[in-house]
Amino acid sequence: LIKLVISNQKGGVAKTTTALTLARFLADTGKRVLIIDTDPQGNLAMTVGVKFKHNLHDLIIEGVTIEDTAVRVYTREDGSGGLLDMVCSDRRTVETEATLMGRFGREFTLRNLLNSLDLPYDAVLFDVAPSITLLQTCAMIYAQRLLLPVAMDLLSLQGANASLETAKMLNGIFDTDIQGVAFMPVMVQKQLQMTKLVTANLTRLSEASRVPVLPGARMDVNVNKCVRTRQFLADFPAASRIYEDYQTAFTELMTRLEGAPVDERGHQATEAASVS
Ligand SMILES: Nc1ncnc2c1ncn2[C@@H]1O[C@H](COP(=O)(O)OP(=O)(O)OP(=O)(O)O)[C@@H](O)[C@H]1O
Ligand SMILES: [Mg+2]
């Protein structure tokens, strides 16, 4: 089972775009994918224009089953079995956090819940809010692996580092092994001085944290057009170039997740692979 939190504590750095595009990419490779939105902004459902009867609150607090909560948003029509289901969030997710606050062992809510189920999925991804909320902590403790999109500004770099610091802090408190799997540069404009500066700093952060950097995805106005028309990048011909960027990055990500040798402590030898 692939489990990933798409995390960066800064807002507007393409977390939702990256999470949704990765989910669709995995579904297109024949995987059964579940994507869970833990952000009360509820952008994930809005981005694909899906209607839902039950939300994350119903799943976590009200005991509604995963089958009744997850909405099918994509089915791969080639017999591979690839599909994408979504657990949606909305303002009610604020109430979820408030309810969980009073509970003992609250950080383990998602881990206990999802591990107790026989999930019919090959991958579980999380889109999270741009701040360290209890539900993001829950997602990190369940998934233990982070994909860190980094937009080409210095605050975004700090936001990605803050996610790694949070992981370290949680590992210090709980018996967890939360790690960054990769940084992914996004909104890249190669000709800009700022892109060069952030890329140089990201290389340093990558060396220090031993988290590799994936190939990046360019800045492209078609991303916004896709959101406006409620489409996946994969289905929008004008967005083919940025979708190719994402495909290249995700192909490398999959190699790292599935192919990298694992040492005796269960750590993937990600630092051995080349950093672009
Ligand atoms: N490569 C790109 N080129 C141009 N615009 C992009 C790109 N990626 C994302 N965007 C746009 O940037 C905005 C922020 O993206 P997105 O919602 O994915 O970020 P986020 O990190 O999830 O934000 P939040 O922190 O609010 O959850 C959106 O309007 C999105 O369409
Ligand atoms: Mg978002």
Side-chain angles (χ1 to χ4, degrees):
L1 184 66
I2 295 168
K3 296 182 282 186
L4 275 179
V5 182
I6 321 307
S7 177
N8 183 315
Q9 295 187 19
K10 176 158 188 312
V13 300
K15 290 181 295 293
T16 300
T17 305
T18 302
L20 193 64
T21 306
L22 174 59
R24 166 64 187 263
F25 171 86
L26 292 175
D28 280 334
T29 62
K31 291 192 163 44
R32 298 164 300 164
V33 184
L34 176 67
I35 187 164
I36 300 178
D37 191 358
T38 63
D39 182 354
Q41 290 184 103
N43 286 346
L44 210 47
M46 283 176 211
T47 304
V48 289
V50 65
K51 300 243 183 314
F52 53 94
K53 184 164 161 233
H54 294 297
N55 55 19
L56 183 66
H57 186 85
D58 295 324
L59 177 71
I60 293 180
I61 306 293
E62 307 294 345
V64 177
T65 62
I66 188 87
E67 290 80 11
D68 286 340
T69 315
V71 187
R72 180 75 34 95
V73 296
Y74 175 72
T75 311
R76 174 93 184 156
E77 300 289 0
D78 64 352
S80 65
L83 59 84
L84 174 54
D85 285 355
M86 186 180 282
V87 172
C88 303
S89 259
D90 52 27
R91 296 309 303 167
R92 202 132 186 250
T93 299
V94 176
E95 197 186 319
T96 317
E97 293 243 348
T99 309
L100 288 178
M101 276 302 171
R103 291 196 184 169
F104 185 72
R106 53 190 170 263
E107 289 86 0
F108 292 85
T109 301
L110 281 172
R111 182 152 112 181
N112 292 342
L113 174 70
L114 296 175
N115 282 349
S116 74
L117 304 173
D118 188 15
L119 288 178
Y121 299 105
D122 306 306
V124 182
L125 309 183
F126 292 88
D127 186 24
V128 297
S131 58
I132 191 66
T133 62
L134 172 57
L135 282 169
Q136 172 154 197
T137 301
C138 287
M140 283 188 180
I141 285 177
Y142 167 69
Q144 309 234 26
R145 292 294 176 271
L146 316 178
L147 173 62
L148 305 149
V150 180
M152 293 299 107
D153 64 80
L154 293 171
L155 290 177
S156 173
L157 198 63
Q158 280 178 17
N161 193 40
S163 292
L164 288 178
E165 291 295 324
T166 300
K168 246 190 254 169
M169 187 194 72
L170 292 173
N171 291 340
I173 301 172
F174 303 108
D175 184 25
T176 51
D177 178 31
I178 307 164
Q179 298 176 27
V181 170
F183 296 105
M184 177 167 178
V186 290
M187 305 186 188
V188 175
Q189 291 176 286
K190 283 213 169 83
Q191 69 285 8
L192 291 191
Q193 207 51 43
M194 186 51 94
T195 293
K196 291 177 188 141
L197 177 65
V198 174
T199 304
N201 282 310
L202 181 56
T203 303
R204 274 198 290 278
L205 178 59
S206 167
E207 282 160 7
S209 61
R210 301 170 91 199
V211 175
V213 182
L214 296 175
R218 73 195 66 202
M219 179 75 100
D220 189 339
V221 291
N222 290 300
V223 176
N224 270 316
K225 291 185 191 158
C226 278
V227 174
R228 276 206 300 276
T229 55
R230 310 266 184 263
Q231 292 183 74
F232 291 96
L233 291 183
D235 293 330
F236 197 68
S240 65
R241 277 160 31 116
I242 182 170
Y243 188 60
E244 275 168 30
D245 292 346
Y246 268 118
Q247 284 177 301
T248 305
F250 294 156
T251 302
E252 186 172 322
L253 175 68
M254 282 309 110
T255 312
R256 290 176 184 285
L257 286 173
E258 293 173 334
V262 174
D263 70 23
E264 69 284 356
R265 287 160 63 226
H267 290 212
Q268 280 188 327
T270 41
E271 69 275 12
S274 73
V275 172
S276 65

